[in-house]
Amino acid sequence: MMDYPTIDPVAISLGPLQIHWYGLMYVVGFVAAWWLGRRRAHRVGLSQDAIGDLVFYAALGVVAGGRLGYALFYGIERLVADPLWLFMVWDGGMSFHGGLLGVLVAALLFARRHRLGYFQLTDFIAPLVPIGLGAGRIGNFINYELPGRVSELPWAMPFPHMGPETRHPSALYEFALEGVVLFVLLWWLSAAPRRRGMISGMFMLLYGVFRFAVEFVRLPDEHLGFIAFGWVTMGMLLTAPMIVAGMALVAWSRRQPVDGALGHGVLPSRDHGRAS
C-alpha cells in the first residue's frame, strides 16, 4: 500500500487571493502548447505570433466548452434548477469531452480566418494537447479527484475522506496514458509527413482507447453511478464515439494528400511573416 501524498490544493495564497494547483495546470498546458506550436508554426504557414492567437482561441474553447459540457453531461438537473450555476466556474466542474468540442469549434473559426484546411489545422493542434491533459490529471490528483475503485495492488492508496480502503490512483493512470504516452506517440507520428486527417484521427482513437480502459478502474461519478448494464459509465458513453470517429478519420485519411503534418501543400496564411 502507498500513502496518498499530502499536497495543499492551494499553490499560492496572498491574503484573500488563492491560486490553486488545478488552475496552474491549465496555465502549464496552454504555455506548453504555445511553445511547441511556435516550433512548428512554419509547417502550416503560420507566423510564430499567430500561435498566440491560436492558443487564445483554444483556451476560450476549452473553458467555455468544458464548462458547458460538464453542465450538460454531468449536471443537467442542477443546470435546469439553477441556470446561473453554469457561470459559477469557481464551483468546479469541467468536462474533457465538452472542452474537445469547444476546441474543435475554435479551430474551425481560426482555420477560416487564416485560410487553412480544417484537418490541416487539427493535425497541427493534436500533438500540442496531451501535455495539457496530463497536467490537468495531476491537478485532479492534487485535488483528491477521480478516485479509483477498490484495489489491493501494491501501488493502490487510500483516498482522503473515503475510508481506509486502498484504491487505484486513476488520475495518475490518465496522466501517464493521456499525457505522457499520447504526447510521445503523436509527437513522433507528426514528425514526418502524414496524410491529412491521420494525426487528428489517431488522437481521437488513442485518447478514446486510453480513457475507455481507465474507466474500468475509475470510480463512476457518485451522482450518476453506472448508467447501463451495471458497468457502463458516462465516461465510456462519451468516449466510445471518439474511438469510432478516430478509426473512421484514419481510414478517410488514407485517400487524402500528404500535407497535414509538415505543411506540404498548405495554403499560406494571410499574416504569414508578420504579427497578427
Side-chain angles (χ1 to χ4, degrees), residues 20-276:
H20 291 248
W21 283 110
Y22 186 76
L24 288 178
M25 293 302 104
Y26 275 80
V27 176
V28 168
F30 292 134
V31 170
W34 171 80
W35 183 74
L36 292 171
R38 284 171 61 89
R39 293 184 60 185
R40 289 184 169 182
H42 64 283
R43 298 182 178 184
V44 284
L46 291 173
S47 67
Q48 290 191 344
D49 292 317
I51 298 302
D53 287 346
L54 176 59
V55 172
F56 178 73
Y57 274 67
L60 291 179
V62 167
V63 175
R67 182 59 179 172
L68 182 59
Y70 181 84
L72 294 176
F73 302 146
Y74 297 95
I76 187 64
E77 293 183 0
R78 185 170 181 182
L79 179 64
V80 171
D82 181 13
L84 292 179
W85 170 71
L86 176 65
F87 303 99
M88 300 177 186
V89 293
W90 58 87
D91 199 32
M94 295 288 283
S95 163
F96 162 79
H97 297 90
L100 174 63
L101 292 175
V103 170
L104 293 178
V105 172
L108 178 61
L109 298 175
F110 187 89
R112 288 180 175 178
R113 177 186 174 189
H114 290 265
R115 293 187 298 167
L116 291 171
Y118 184 64
F119 287 113
Q120 292 171 341
L121 182 60
T122 58
D123 285 346
F124 174 76
I125 293 173
L128 313 181
V129 174
I131 290 181
L133 295 179
R137 295 315 183 192
I138 293 296
N140 290 139
F141 185 72
I142 293 174
N143 282 349
Y144 315 134
E145 297 169 341
L146 312 185
R149 304 184 196 183
V150 174
S151 171
E152 296 182 358
L153 289 171
W155 55 84
M157 57 186 66
F159 272 65
H161 317 301
M162 294 193 68
E165 299 91 353
T166 56
R167 300 177 178 276
H168 287 282
S170 54
L172 296 184
Y173 296 169
E174 294 191 55
F175 159 74
L177 293 173
E178 301 168 11
V180 179
V181 176
L182 188 60
F183 171 74
V184 170
L185 291 176
L186 291 182
W187 195 256
W188 172 71
L189 283 172
S190 60
R194 303 293 176 184
R195 295 188 181 276
R196 189 181 306 169
M198 187 269 203
I199 301 299
S200 302
M202 289 301 297
F203 172 85
M204 298 185 72
L205 175 59
L206 290 172
Y207 177 89
V209 169
F210 293 157
R211 174 68 182 271
F212 199 94
V214 174
E215 286 289 323
F216 283 103
V217 298
R218 175 173 154 177
L219 202 65
D221 295 88
E222 184 177 359
H223 65 291
L224 294 178
F226 296 108
I227 60 176
F229 310 117
W231 59 272
V232 177
T233 67
M234 178 60 77
M236 291 178 178
L237 182 65
L238 296 174
T239 300
M242 287 187 64
I243 298 175
V244 176
M247 291 189 294
L249 192 53
V250 170
W252 173 82
S253 73
R254 297 178 64 183
R255 301 186 296 274
Q256 302 307 308
V258 181
D259 65 2
L262 295 182
H264 294 259
V266 177
L267 291 171
S269 168
R270 285 178 296 183
D271 23 39
H272 178 65
R274 62 179 177 86
S276 58

